[in-house]
Amino acid sequence: MKIDVMGVRFDSCTLDQALDRAMAMVEDGGAHYCVTPNPEIVYEAMHDPAFCDLLNGADLVLPDGVGVVLGAKLLGTPLEARIPGADFAAGLLPRLAAAGKRLYLLGAKPGVAEQAAANLRARHPDLQICGTADGYFRDEAAAVAAVRAAAPDVVFVCLGAPKQERFMAAHREELGASLLAGLGGMLDVFAGNVRRAPDWVCRIGMEWFYRLLKEPRRFKRMLRLPKFLAAVVARRLRGR
Ligand code: UDP
């Protein structure tokens, strides 16, 4: 079921259901893509209809960020669960390994995807990582061709928003993979350069605050979170 949060239509499901659907897409072939918008990204989409269309054009739209879940609740249409992109990515890995599917890691600074691949291979010895590349390519066509040549089933596209959504929507067919997943800074996490917040911090919905403390440069971007919530409340008061 889809739930509209300020124009972005999220899939309302559990993490397991999202993983089942993702694996069905991988098995099905075709050229699917998945996005994981947080409130900052929804706020951007509220002001950029073309970007909003890219998000809504995805085959899976997962609510990353407690603010999206809160927004849906305030609008009177609660989502089934919050599905952090990090949990979705981590949950896909053993399933891809078990199914013998090929994964390509695209994004982050030079060397990060390689380090992420080494760490993931150590954790999931059966996982087939068929290629890696950094996300600061000048020649987009060459980057697309390199992915295609590696013949992946799944690509983790970690270029940050909105670059990764534009990249996935523009090149989904040429990339040749069954599933593209836009996962922001996940390769930095897999590489061990950035730590996720401890579980208890996530449980109380304060992961955003942990990230702000760890990466103060995010402050300006994070100002969109209260703006997003203010817009939600205004819409609710107007009676939608
Ligand atoms: N990035 C990239 N190419 C670019 C810009 C960014 O590969 O042209 C990478 C960046 O190095 C980082 C990720 O995209 O690994 C974005 O991380 P961030 O935490 O800002 O993204 P979020 O998850 O918040 O969208």
Side-chain angles (χ1 to χ4, degrees):
M1 188 176 67
K2 290 280 188 180
I3 300 271
D4 186 307
V5 181
M6 305 305 281
V8 178
R9 293 194 300 277
F10 285 91
D11 286 282
S12 183
C13 59
T14 63
L15 173 61
D16 274 342
Q17 288 167 341
L19 291 169
D20 288 346
R21 286 184 55 193
M23 286 309 291
M25 290 172 198
V26 175
E27 295 295 349
D28 169 52
H32 306 90
Y33 73 102
C34 162
V35 295
T36 58
N38 59 20
E40 294 166 25
I41 294 175
V42 176
Y43 190 77
E44 186 161 340
M46 285 162 58
H47 299 92
D48 183 345
F51 179 50
C52 191
D53 287 346
L54 290 186
L55 295 177
N56 287 331
D59 299 277
L60 259 183
V61 184
L62 303 177
D64 178 304
V66 68
V68 175
V69 173
L70 180 60
K73 206 181 216 174
L74 288 171
L75 289 167
T77 48
L79 283 157
E80 173 96 24
R82 173 186 169 220
I83 304 185
D87 292 351
F88 177 70
L92 267 183
L93 296 171
R95 291 177 182 236
L96 294 176
K101 299 296 179 187
R102 294 160 66 83
L103 174 66
Y104 193 101
L105 305 179
L106 174 66
K109 297 201 173 115
V112 175
E114 288 72 18
Q115 183 60 53
N119 294 353
L120 292 180
R121 283 193 188 106
R123 241 177 279 161
H124 304 277
D126 295 336
L127 184 64
Q128 290 186 51
I129 299 181
C130 61
T132 58
D134 72 75
Y136 292 86
F137 42 82
R138 293 249 167 82
D139 183 346
E140 192 155 308
V144 171
V147 175
R148 188 180 176 86
D153 298 294
V154 177
V155 185
F156 284 179
V157 183
C158 300
L159 307 173
K163 188 172 172 181
Q164 62 199 12
E165 287 76 14
R166 294 195 175 123
F167 182 88
M168 292 190 295
H171 302 298
R172 58 199 287 187
E173 300 290 347
E174 301 152 78
L175 286 164
S178 307
L179 179 66
L180 312 171
L183 294 166
M186 263 324 282
L187 294 182
D188 297 302
V189 175
F190 286 140
N193 299 340
V194 172
R195 293 184 120 213
R196 278 194 79 196
D199 281 351
W200 69 269
V201 176
C202 297
R203 269 199 306 278
I204 62 169
M206 294 296 279
E207 188 169 4
W208 62 272
F209 187 63
Y210 179 91
R211 286 194 86 177
L212 182 59
L213 290 182
K214 290 278 178 189
E215 301 168 73
R217 67 180 167 84
R218 303 182 79 89
F219 180 71
K220 215 169 145 211
R221 273 173 56 181
M222 281 196 173
L223 287 176
R224 291 184 192 159
L225 176 61
K227 288 184 188 164
F228 162 79
L229 288 175
V232 166
V233 171
R235 177 165 299 185
R236 185 67 208 259
L237 291 176
R238 278 201 311 269
R240 301 157 68 88

